[in-house]
Amino acid sequence: MDAEYRESQLYRIRHSAAHLMAAAVLEMFPEGKVAIGPPIEDGFYYDFDLPRPLTMDDLEKIEARMRELIAEHHDFIYQEIDPDEARKLFADQPYKLELIADILERGTDEYGERTAQPVLSIYKSGPFVDLCRGPHVANSKEINPKAVKLLSVAGAYWRGDADRPMLQRIYGTAWPTPKELRAYLKWREEVQKRDHRKLIKQLDLLSFHEEAGPGLAYWHPKGAMMRKIIEDFWRERHLEGGYDFVVTPHLGKAWLWQTSGHLDFYRESMYSPMDVDGQEYFIKPMNCPFHILIYKTRLRSYRELPLRWAELGTVYRYEKSGVLHGLLRVRGFTQDDAHIFCTPDQIEDEILRVLRFSISILNAFGFEDIQAYLSTRPEKAVGEPERWEQAQASLQRAIEAEGIAYEVDEGGGAFYGPKIDLKIKDALGRSWQLSTIQFDFNLPERFDMSYIAEDGAEHRPYMVHRALLGSLERFFGILVEHYAGAFPVWLAPEQARLIPIADRHVAYARQVEDQLRQAHIRVYTDASSSRMNAKIRDAQMQKIPYMLVIGDQEVEANTVAVRLRSGKRLGALSPADFIAHVAQAVAQRALE
RNA sequence: GCCCACGUAGCUCAGUCGGUAGAGCACUUUCUUGGUAAGAAAGGGGUCAUCAGUUCAAGUCUGAUCGUGGGCUCCA
């Protein structure tokens, strides 16, 4: 949340709306307890401890009451108070008492942020008084009652702590004008329409099976076709980018995971071990230890570094049941993983190279808006400080050399090394983290990796993990939402559908189909008994880029009548011309 | 994992007060052979997520389990 927003009138409107919502809720539940209620991106929430779960009916009543409160033109009055007054005022509000204690003892405000001076302040608006630092609107008339809407109820832990009570959080949104509210609600609808969980079903791309285990994706022929296209592209680019490929097993003995440290730090996210001949084996949650074993099969010379080893490695992680979410959070997924092993003086070049490589691949998939996040050394960390310094400097210089916008998360790195994450913005303006480029000072140590340097002595190589798309499953889900299922021609699982108007045109359609297939166009003939209109509708709903209508005229002239999914018609083209047209669209990665 | 909600045909959903289940689409068959987003008719299709319980009687009420959704926590 940026500083500009915090200073804005909109922020005040939302914050004040949250207070009025709390007022309405307390009228409904006089014995209810209030927690906190800040503005957030696109709206606000307030957390409550109430005697019963809220329903959508309640929400409507609360919203109606909020509008009345707004219309009553209450002033929001700021007042500083001393601790005793505060404790008295909020005597029956245990969450507020806890906040008061925190503010006084820890010098934090009600959101847990440090403040210069512990100041207790309240805001009064009508009958409702809240412990609050503000800011608020001066009077509720600054809130447009028709630009406020309550959206949902959800559970939320007090202070975000899973060991503390579960509260009920009401989410709402508020905007300067009803028009902006409508635009926001429309955007939310668009988000729902593009939901990949819906689209992968409608477009017959993937499925999940509760009988066979949650969080495990099944790729149908069309989904698998797209995955093949993505993988082929990925491999080709990696060859051009100087990578070699490795392939490693899906499981390994406990020794491997003890050595890597996963069993110490990560065990609760790993699938339970299986007993094989009295030995514990684990399904892999990561590929790195396997790549290291390959590295260690012989002595390595500085002359053969850097090594860049890539693998589409399928890993399994036991994610908690409540966090699974379509393709975006699964338990089995394929990382587009690679590890770079290099010498200290190669680091700078390697990082720049991998960053450029990553950006060019993201661009190819239609993601142009990229931001970088640099995470640096946390308090608890392994590895020599000089190495951290060098690694962080090389990361930062690479980002700056590429001229992409970035933010630094000081101390936000993993204990084993600093990293750059790349986030893209999709067609709806939402950010998704895709690429990650991270140093690892831990594993080379634990596995005692080395190379022989010019001086004839053993040295520890630098190791960089990187994934560009992240996981193929998640990336696929993001692609589906980005394109709303209408994929660019090069990615579309079915690029063209032949639509014979009557049965007598089917034979010619089959002939064209064969011709197009020889040109590697992914094409199918709709030979059903439906009318042409129905066939077109079906192809439209499947978001197929090209519909090729074939009737008497086309058979006669040896052409196809080309319709795009936009509704635009290209007229009659010979099969050869159509092939050339598609080749062009594929080369340009055009949407058409 | 936690809070709340939900789970009915392949899909999207309806099902009132507890009285043995319905629609549209899809599918099959027949008729229709058409010119750029749904031609018509007939037919098949259900252990109402699963397992227990209450009841003369459960899709409907209760509990547990599994799964899904909105969030929270987590994502070294």
Side-chain angles (χ1 to χ4, degrees), chain A residues 527-542:
Chain A
S528 69
S529 68
S530 306
R531 298 184 50 174
M532 180 203 63
N533 279 314
K535 291 180 182 180
I536 286 176
R537 179 181 145 86
D538 187 52
Q540 274 302 142
M541 293 202 305
Q542 290 296 307

Side-chain angles (χ1 to χ4, degrees), chain A residues 179-195:
Chain A
K179 194 179 162 191
E180 283 160 292
L181 173 65
R182 279 197 297 275
Y184 173 66
L185 294 176
K186 209 176 157 203
W187 179 83
R188 282 171 59 100
E189 262 173 48
E190 185 59 33
V191 167
Q192 274 177 10
K193 254 196 280 177
R194 288 175 181 238
D195 191 323

Side-chain angles (χ1 to χ4, degrees), chain A residues 262-375:
Chain A
H262 285 97
L263 284 180
D264 293 336
F265 296 107
Y266 201 68
R267 184 167 193 142
E268 73 285 358
S269 296
M270 291 171 69
Y271 272 93
S272 312
M274 62 189 95
D275 183 296
V276 180
D277 297 337
Q279 298 270 347
E280 272 191 340
Y281 279 73
F282 288 85
I283 299 192
K284 67 174 170 183
M286 303 220 175
N287 305 301
C288 2
F290 296 84
H291 292 193
I292 291 174
L293 290 189
I294 296 174
Y295 181 95
K296 281 172 63 79
T297 51
R298 60 178 173 79
L299 274 186
R300 300 286 171 182
S301 157
Y302 74 98
R303 289 175 182 274
E304 64 181 312
L305 300 182
L307 293 169
R308 307 185 194 96
W309 289 349
E311 175 176 21
L312 293 168
T314 303
V315 299
Y316 292 85
R317 298 181 182 174
Y318 177 75
E319 301 284 1
K320 287 180 178 170
S321 60
V323 306
L324 298 176
H325 184 89
L327 286 169
L328 301 181
R329 193 82 180 265
V330 288
R331 284 184 173 162
F333 55 97
T334 300
Q335 292 180 308
D336 70 316
D337 207 358
H339 295 96
I340 298 167
F341 306 104
C342 67
T343 67
D345 54 347
Q346 291 169 333
I347 263 302
E348 186 104 19
D349 282 351
E350 282 306 307
I351 293 296
L352 183 59
R353 186 186 178 109
V354 70
L355 184 66
R356 278 202 181 130
F357 187 60
S358 184
I359 291 169
S360 85
I361 285 184
L362 297 181
N363 287 162
F365 284 101
F367 299 117
E368 305 285 345
D369 190 343
I370 297 171
Q371 312 106 54
Y373 294 80
L374 173 61
S375 301

Side-chain angles (χ1 to χ4, degrees), chain A residues 6 11 35-38 45 95 98-116 119 131-133 158-160:
Chain A
R6 289 190 162 206
Y11 186 88
I36 60 168
Y45 68 79
Y95 301 104
E98 191 176 326
L99 292 173
I100 291 167
D102 274 7
I103 293 167
L104 294 174
E105 285 160 30
R106 300 221 307 253
T108 54
D109 65 14
E110 69 268 35
Y111 306 125
E113 290 170 16
R114 304 230 171 264
T115 50
V119 173
L131 180 75
C132 184
R133 93 189 142 179
W158 166 235
R159 312 224 98 176

